[in-house]
Amino acid sequence: MPRLTGERICSGKSEGVFLISKFNSFRNLIINSMTSKVGIYESHEKALLAVKALNTAHFPLNKVSLLGKAEIIDDHLHVKSCETAGKGPVVISAIAGPVLGILTGLGLFAIPGFGFLYGAGALIGAIAGFDIGLVGSGIITILVALGFKKESVVKYEEHLNEGKFLVVVQGDLKEIKAAEHILHTEGSHIRLEEGQLT
């Protein structure tokens, strides 16, 4: 039987990287004693308004991420939103420009059992650096690897599947307090939650 060392799985001549060590490495790289606040939004437009409010208030955007779900309709990728019912779907390319005008990096990831994860900002760069096996493990595994507690990511997965969007803000306590004030003032969120980083 393979012997778990906490870093690697070793069995005779074969030796593979133990995924948990990758989880911890990425988590430490991204979080590094930070906490977070997660805003839940009904549409991409409202989530983007929140990001713009943070930008206007000079909050460091390298600590801000936007996450949503995309789906294939008529052979084209569209942003899934709980507000698009009756309005028609929004094509990904139509929103890429406004997002990239504010946040760095735009990513689209095929996640087994979930569909397509769409997003921009700090966390997207981290997900892009994940091992293929980790990304293939599902959205829960990805969010846990980013540092969120499992009991929180189950709710976030539900929000994303419903067509809601997440704006994730990371920082020290002073930065999170400032971000919370900015987002409350902007006011387009459904609710704000503690990110509950591990």
Side-chain angles (χ1 to χ4, degrees), residues 55-178:
N55 185 39
T56 300
H58 306 293
F59 188 88
L61 292 184
N62 63 339
K63 297 181 179 179
V64 178
S65 302
L66 186 156
L67 298 174
K69 185 174 181 179
E71 53 192 359
I72 297 177
I73 301 175
D74 297 329
D75 295 325
H76 295 284
L77 275 168
H78 299 79
V79 172
K80 181 174 181 178
S81 174
C82 57
E83 281 200 343
T84 55
K87 298 179 182 179
V90 180
V91 183
I92 288 273
S93 59
I95 61 173
V99 172
L100 287 174
I102 303 172
L103 295 174
T104 57
L106 187 67
L108 190 64
F109 306 91
I111 312 294
F114 175 78
F116 293 94
L117 177 68
Y118 150 79
L123 296 181
I124 297 305
I127 296 171
F130 281 165
D131 184 276
I132 292 174
L134 192 156
V135 174
S137 298
I139 187 68
I140 296 289
T141 303
I142 290 172
L143 293 175
V144 170
L146 290 170
F148 294 99
K149 291 183 179 179
K150 189 170 183 178
E151 55 266 32
S152 300
V153 302
V154 170
K155 293 188 303 180
Y156 299 153
E157 180 187 30
E158 290 174 358
H159 291 320
L160 292 169
N161 276 321
E162 290 167 354
K164 297 183 177 75
F165 289 78
L166 310 182
V167 172
V168 182
V169 180
Q170 295 173 288
D172 57 32
L173 289 175
K174 183 178 179 181
E175 289 173 321
I176 292 302
K177 284 289 185 184

Side-chain angles (χ1 to χ4, degrees), residues 26-38:
F26 280 111
R27 186 180 322 176
N28 292 338
L29 176 66
I30 298 163
I31 298 168
N32 193 23
S33 77
M34 292 193 296
T35 185
S36 73
K37 184 68 69 174
V38 180

Side-chain angles (χ1 to χ4, degrees), residues 41 46 50 53 181-190:
Y41 296 85
K46 289 182 178 178
H181 175 73
I182 295 164
L183 295 175
H184 268 303
T185 302
E186 191 277 328
S188 63
H189 56 277
I190 298 172

